[in-house]
Amino acid sequence: MIKVTCSPKITNDQFNFFSGFEVELRNLIKKIVNEEEYCHLVLTFELFVEDSKSYNKVYILENNANPDIKNSLKLCSEVDSYIHSKEIKFKSYLPTSTILRIALNFKQRQQEAQSAPVSNFIAVEGRYVFNQIVLPKEKLDEIYSAINLIELQDLIYNKWNFKSVDAVPRCILNFYGEPGTGKTMCAHAIARKLGKKILALNYSEIESKYVGDSAKNLMNAFNYAKENDCVLFFDEADSFLGKRIQNVSQGADQALNSLRSQMLILLEEFQGIVLFATNLITNFDVAFESRILKQIKFDLPDESARCQIISKKIPAELPFDHNLTDDELLNLSRAIGLISPREIKNAVLECIIKKATHDRENSVFTYDDFLQAFRNKREAVDNLEKEKNKVNANRKMPDDIVKEKIKSALNASKDISKDVSNENNEGVAQNPS
């Protein structure tokens, strides 16, 4: 995780270079520690771009490698050789009178087992199919076209040799739009259509109270999806795909940047389907936008679509005094107005609960029951919107919300972090390059 403390702050290009180096170094370490010689070791690191007290050096390497941690000195030497190979690049990207400080922390693997719990992921069968979803034909065609990349992978990538242009077949889609418009339902329907399970995650399931473990959890999620051949679905995509913070000033910033950098590299390598859903799209990092095959907007349904949705949301088994006519469905659509399919479902459920509460098994539903329920829902939604508008000026941006979550998680593990930090500080030795 990069900490920038130099003055003046580094430029966007400089920040992006060191973010890329951070990902490269992490992947190198991951590869090395999987070797039998080093598999008992855990190696973490931090990067600092700071004002230089010694102008004849480009970087310094700090570490706690010592003979008591088996093979740590040898591993440190391998990492140092790699870092040294980048020295010329460092010179071209470091601002004048600054230095790159790299701090390595070695631990025995059994120590790590006591720190952070292993994330448990479980893929499930898709809960919905496409005939349960009402979307405009052009939207459905966009979705079908995108997932054909997976169904016709052999034809496109092998027989027609698109692998010579793009070596990794992947389908990354982002669904965005108002809450309750069917984004999650569509993700589940895609999994069902492809005959795959779906691993659905939101930010809170990836976030960890242990520093740096959110990125590890994300890597574990991708590994799980690969091993189980399932569709990956990330809700709250703005938490994962937002712009990386350039003027890093606190632990929450560092953790968020690390998570987003890890997401970039994982998307580049993953062969399969990754779906994102978000209510907000304006804060996306351009690096993510270029990796997304299609951005598909989910709009609130128009009058005609609402008629179809109402018809699907009212169970055929309800004891009605008559079948609803097309004109009655149209009136119900107009009564509830421009609203999400989820709110239509809620209005139907509220009507059913009210009827069941009063008449139990003797219930008989009428058109008027639903008309009143839909009018009530319209009024409730309008009142809620008025309340939101009153506090809209104080609404926080997505990054602020995510950073607050991370801060809270980091504070929860402050005592653990202090203990680890004190142990490390006692054994840290500087190894100037």
Side-chain angles (χ1 to χ4, degrees):
M1 297 176 288
I2 307 170
K3 293 182 181 178
V4 181
T5 60
C6 62
S7 180
K9 298 294 184 183
I10 61 178
T11 66
N12 291 355
D13 286 345
Q14 290 166 336
F15 180 84
N16 289 335
F17 168 76
F18 287 110
S19 292
F21 170 70
E22 176 192 12
V23 173
E24 289 177 13
L25 184 57
R26 181 178 296 111
N27 288 335
L28 173 75
I29 290 172
K30 177 187 173 186
K31 181 179 179 181
I32 293 176
V33 297
N34 281 333
E35 297 174 6
E36 185 177 354
E37 186 176 14
Y38 302 120
C39 63
H40 64 287
L41 289 175
V42 175
L43 174 54
T44 57
F45 69 93
E46 288 186 293
L47 301 181
F48 303 83
V49 178
E50 55 194 22
D51 294 321
S52 175
K53 298 176 184 177
S54 179
Y55 301 112
N56 62 337
K57 294 178 182 176
V58 176
Y59 75 93
I60 60 172
L61 181 65
E62 297 177 347
N63 65 86
N64 66 331
N66 65 81
D68 292 334
I69 305 177
K70 184 182 176 182
N71 289 342
S72 61
L73 290 169
K74 186 176 179 181
L75 177 53
C76 184
S77 177
E78 289 192 37
V79 173
D80 189 18
S81 295
Y82 172 77
I83 295 170
H84 187 70
S85 71
K86 302 287 183 179
E87 186 170 9
I88 295 175
K89 279 281 190 181
F90 295 160
K91 284 181 181 178
S92 61
Y93 280 95
L94 277 171
T96 305
S97 302
T98 62
I99 195 168
L100 176 65
R101 180 163 61 89
I102 304 160
L104 304 180
N105 179 39
F106 293 87
K107 291 190 297 184
Q108 299 282 355
R109 184 164 294 279
Q110 60 265 30
Q111 290 177 276
E112 183 196 40
Q114 298 171 6
S115 63
V118 176
S119 299
N120 293 316
F121 301 113
I122 300 176
V124 298
E125 299 289 344
R127 298 197 306 270
Y128 306 102
V129 294
F130 275 109
N131 65 13
Q132 294 176 273
I133 305 169
V134 177
L135 285 175
K137 183 180 182 301
E138 61 270 18
K139 299 289 184 188
L140 284 173
D141 287 345
E142 272 192 276
I143 294 167
Y144 289 151
S145 172
I147 61 179
N148 278 343
L149 175 64
I150 300 300
E151 292 187 312
L152 303 175
Q153 179 179 321
D154 183 59
L155 174 65
I156 295 170
Y157 273 81
N158 296 328
K159 291 183 180 177
W160 291 349
N161 199 31
F162 193 72
K163 64 184 177 184
S164 65
V165 180
D166 183 10
V168 181
R170 56 182 172 269
C171 178
I172 305 172
L173 306 179
N174 179 50
F175 302 148
Y176 69 98
E178 295 282 338
T181 47
K183 300 183 290 293
T184 298
M185 288 183 70
C186 196
H188 281 258
I190 287 174
R192 285 282 289 271
K193 186 175 190 304
L194 293 173
K196 299 176 183 287
K197 290 187 175 183
I198 183 170
L199 178 60
L201 301 166
N202 57 39
Y203 181 78
S204 64
E205 291 170 286
I206 296 295
E207 175 194 28
S208 171
K209 68 179 180 178
Y210 297 96
V211 180
D213 275 358
S214 294
K216 294 178 188 176
N217 289 343
L218 185 64
M219 188 183 301
N220 291 340
F222 273 84
N223 288 338
Y224 178 95
K226 179 181 178 180
E227 292 167 5
N228 293 275
D229 188 29
C230 58
V231 173
L232 254 179
F233 173 53
F234 293 98
D235 208 352
E236 303 175 6
D238 41 290
S239 302
F240 296 101
L241 307 183
K243 294 182 177 70
R244 283 163 290 178
I245 302 159
Q246 297 182 11
N247 295 324
V248 177
S249 60
Q250 52 191 332
D253 295 338
Q254 299 156 20
L256 190 53
N257 274 354
S258 179
L259 180 69
R260 290 171 176 173
S261 294
Q262 188 65 56
M263 177 65 86
L264 271 174
I265 194 69
L266 290 169
L267 288 177
E268 197 66 30
E269 297 173 347
F270 185 70
Q271 297 187 29
I273 293 188
V274 182
L275 307 175
F276 294 100
T278 181
N279 304 330
L280 302 165
I281 195 173
T282 54
N283 194 44
F284 277 19
D285 192 307
V286 67
F288 288 113
E289 290 178 1
S290 64
R291 285 166 172 79
I292 294 171
L293 180 64
K294 283 184 181 291
Q295 305 263 14
I296 299 175
K297 185 179 182 183
F298 283 63
D299 296 302
L300 293 174
D302 61 18
E303 191 174 87
S304 174
R306 291 197 301 273
C307 289
Q308 296 178 60
I309 293 167
I310 292 167
S311 180
K312 288 179 180 292
K313 298 299 183 187
I314 297 177
E317 292 77 10
L318 280 188
F320 254 100
D321 64 347
H322 70 282
N323 292 328
L324 291 175
T325 66
D326 289 344
D327 285 342
E328 287 172 333
L329 285 172
L330 184 60
N331 287 339
L332 291 175
S333 172
R334 289 171 176 170
I336 203 164
L338 193 62
I339 204 166
S340 73
R342 182 188 297 157
E343 291 293 7
I344 293 175
K345 177 197 73 174
N346 290 341
V348 170
L349 180 59
E350 288 167 14
C351 180
I352 293 173
I353 291 172
K354 182 178 179 181
K355 196 76 170 177
T357 301
H358 285 92
D359 299 333
R360 305 286 171 167
E361 294 289 341
N362 298 321
S363 297
V364 177
F365 289 87
T366 67
Y367 159 72
D368 288 335
D369 292 330
F370 282 95
L371 183 62
Q372 187 59 52
F374 280 28
R375 285 172 175 166
N376 291 344
K377 176 57 71 176
R378 179 74 262 168
E379 183 180 359
V381 169
D382 288 343
N383 289 338
L384 182 60
E385 192 61 32
K386 289 176 184 176
E387 290 298 319
K388 286 181 180 179
N389 290 336
K390 289 180 184 178
V391 298
N392 194 47
N394 297 322
R395 181 179 294 170
K396 296 180 179 180
M397 295 302 292
D399 271 0
D400 296 328
I401 297 170
V402 175
K403 282 159 63 178
E404 280 193 2
K405 287 182 179 179
I406 296 173
K407 276 189 209 173
S408 175
L410 292 177
N411 288 336
S413 63
K414 186 166 63 174
D415 292 339
I416 295 173
S417 299
K418 277 184 179 178
D419 291 342
V420 173
S421 177
N422 290 337
E423 289 174 7
N424 291 342
N425 288 337
E426 290 172 6
V428 167
Q430 291 198 353
N431 180 17
S433 300

